[in-house]
């Protein structure tokens, strides 16, 4: 389409661009590759695992917009240029994540695995059921998504705690921060929900040592893990060990160290693991792209960008 605006580069690998390009092209000229390494017509990039070096030499690049809620897939490129990086904050993404976490928390709380096993055996037998207020859900990663999830869980009657690197205050939630607050947070959690960004500091944080610090004597008979953050946050061998030695009762995993999860992974057949294929909060271009384009227009008018990433912190 003819336009006086600079072009937008959709810089992605490992995803189908068919749904994304038309939404971008409705308002700006959009391309999948620049015209040469130093294409002067590219002023913005929308990125998901951008090919290494693709963005490094674009002389008029004003900002990079991440398609996913996390930005580790973008900053992993060592040649990434020093321009503003914008993360996604969108009600649609938050809604999907809230739905996923509430679904998994309720399923664990209401003994879904046990009843599925009994159904397979045609066993008509009930199970003792605690009330939601007897169960503490600890949300590890208490940013925008974490706080949205907390509100939904509070509405369902659960006790909710939050942990993050820096301290937050949120009505109805017991908030903890930093290494000094981690023990108190973990020891209270019946269900640990992991929504952390992936940074050098959080890589592999969900290991056996951390899981062993969760609440042992709660209403669910032992702790439960739900990871909807990033696969790199967890050590899968440690999760299996924790399930097999009784440190964990159950786990719901949406993200994995290697994706797609290899067919040979021992996670697949484990009877106390519920697996989804990184589907907790899939990015939908119909909802995510228009706010990006609005930001581009505003930035071209001289207005500041919103939801900027602190590259040193990694989110």
């Amino acid at each position: 389409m003819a336009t006086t605006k600079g072009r937008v580069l959709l810089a992605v690998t490992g995803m189908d661009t068919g749904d994304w390009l038309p939404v971008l092209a409705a308002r700006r000229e959009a391309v999948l590759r620049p015209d040469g390494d130093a294409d002067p017509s590219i002023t913005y990039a929308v990125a998901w695992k951008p090919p290494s070096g693709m963005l490094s030499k674009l002389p008029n690049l004003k900002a990079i917009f991440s398609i996913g809620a996390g930005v580790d897939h973008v900053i992993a490129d060592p040649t990434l240029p020093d321009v503003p990086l914008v993360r996604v904050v969108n009600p649609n993404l938050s809604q999907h994540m809230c739905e996923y976490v509430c679904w998994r928390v309720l399923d664990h709380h209401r003994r879904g695995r046990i009843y599925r096993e009994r159904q397979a055996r045609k066993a008509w037998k009930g199970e003792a059921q605690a009330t939601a207020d007897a169960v503490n859900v600890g949300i590890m990663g208490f940013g925008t998504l974490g706080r949205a999830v907390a509100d939904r869980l509070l509405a369902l009657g659960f006790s909710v705690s939050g942990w993050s690197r820096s301290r937050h205050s949120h009505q109805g939630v017991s908030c903890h921060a930093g290494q000094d607050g981690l023990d108190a947070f973990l020891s209270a959690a019946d269900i640990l929900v992991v929504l952390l960004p992936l940074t050098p500091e959080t890589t592999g944080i969900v290991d056996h040592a951390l899981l062993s610090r969760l609440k042992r004597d709660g209403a669910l008979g032992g702790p439960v893990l739900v990871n909807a953050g990033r696969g790199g946050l967890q050590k899968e061998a440690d999760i299996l060990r924790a399930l097999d030695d009784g440190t964990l009762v159950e786990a719901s995993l949406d993200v994995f160290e290697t994706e797609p999860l290899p067919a040979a992974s021992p996670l697949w057949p484990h009877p106390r693991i519920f697996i989804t294929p990184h589907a907790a909060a899939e990015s939908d271009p119909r909802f995510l792209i228009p706010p990006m384009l609005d930001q581009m227009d505003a930035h071209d008018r001289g207005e500041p960008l919103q939801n900027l990433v602190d590259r040193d912190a990694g989110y």
Side-chain angles (χ1 to χ4, degrees):
M1 65 184 265
T3 179
T4 58
K5 300 174 181 176
R7 298 199 299 171
V8 178
L9 174 65
L10 184 59
V12 301
T13 56
M15 63 174 284
D16 184 358
T17 60
D19 292 334
W20 293 84
L21 204 61
V23 183
L24 279 168
R27 287 171 49 183
R28 285 184 178 247
E29 185 177 358
V31 296
L32 293 174
R33 297 198 65 83
D35 293 335
D37 290 345
D39 185 346
S41 71
I42 304 295
T43 54
Y44 294 101
V46 174
W48 172 260
K49 298 181 181 178
S52 182
M54 178 178 277
L55 307 178
S56 63
K57 298 178 182 179
L58 300 173
N60 296 318
L61 187 65
K62 297 179 180 180
I64 302 165
F65 290 80
S66 170
I67 284 177
V71 296
D72 50 283
H73 61 93
V74 179
I75 60 179
D77 182 357
T79 69
L80 201 68
D82 186 19
V83 300
L85 176 58
V86 181
R87 60 189 174 87
V88 169
V89 176
N90 186 272
N92 179 260
L93 202 64
S94 296
Q95 174 69 20
H96 284 172
M97 184 61 76
C98 289
E99 291 172 357
Y100 176 86
V101 174
C102 289
W103 169 41
R104 299 318 310 144
V105 166
L106 283 169
D107 186 65
H108 291 296
H109 170 57
R110 294 304 303 260
R111 302 295 204 258
R113 175 186 62 85
I114 292 174
Y115 286 121
R116 284 188 290 273
E117 290 176 352
R118 289 177 184 169
Q119 178 179 350
R121 294 185 284 108
K122 302 178 184 178
W124 184 271
K125 181 183 178 183
E127 187 74 15
Q129 181 63 56
T131 56
D133 60 0
V135 176
N136 177 269
V137 182
I139 302 173
M140 197 173 190
F142 207 60
T144 302
L145 283 177
R147 294 191 294 273
V149 167
D151 287 338
R152 304 297 178 87
L153 292 170
L154 288 169
L156 290 169
F158 289 98
S159 166
V160 180
S161 300
W163 181 88
S164 52
R165 192 179 74 161
S166 56
R167 185 169 295 280
H168 295 276
S169 177
H170 197 75
Q171 186 172 3
V173 177
S174 175
C175 293
H176 306 265
Q179 288 301 316
D180 291 343
L182 189 54
D183 271 332
F185 166 78
L186 292 171
S187 64
D190 295 293
I191 301 176
L192 178 66
V193 175
V194 182
L195 297 176
L196 288 165
L198 182 61
T199 69
E201 290 72 29
T202 62
T203 297
I205 192 172
V206 182
D207 60 10
H208 193 275
L210 182 136
L211 296 171
S212 67
R213 295 155 73 183
L214 293 169
K215 188 175 181 179
R216 311 288 302 166
D217 57 354
L220 302 182
V224 170
L225 170 67
V226 177
N227 186 6
R230 284 286 186 265
L233 298 168
Q234 66 194 22
K235 293 184 178 179
E236 288 162 13
D238 284 18
I239 292 173
L240 288 165
R241 175 186 164 198
L243 286 164
D244 292 341
D245 68 15
T247 299
L248 276 180
V249 173
E250 297 174 4
S252 285
L253 304 177
D254 184 59
V255 290
F256 304 92
E257 293 178 70
T258 300
E259 294 184 359
L261 183 63
S265 170
L267 298 174
W268 281 114
H270 199 287
R272 286 181 286 123
I273 299 177
F274 187 93
I275 288 174
T276 47
H278 204 145
E282 291 185 322
S283 299
D284 188 329
R286 298 172 300 167
F287 295 96
L288 301 192
I289 289 296
M292 294 181 190
L293 293 167
D294 290 343
Q295 280 228 64
M296 294 175 198
D297 291 343
H299 192 52
D300 286 342
R301 296 192 300 267
E303 299 175 26
L305 293 164
Q306 306 297 313
N307 306 315
L308 290 174
V309 170
D310 179 341
R311 292 207 195 182
D312 291 333
Y315 56 90

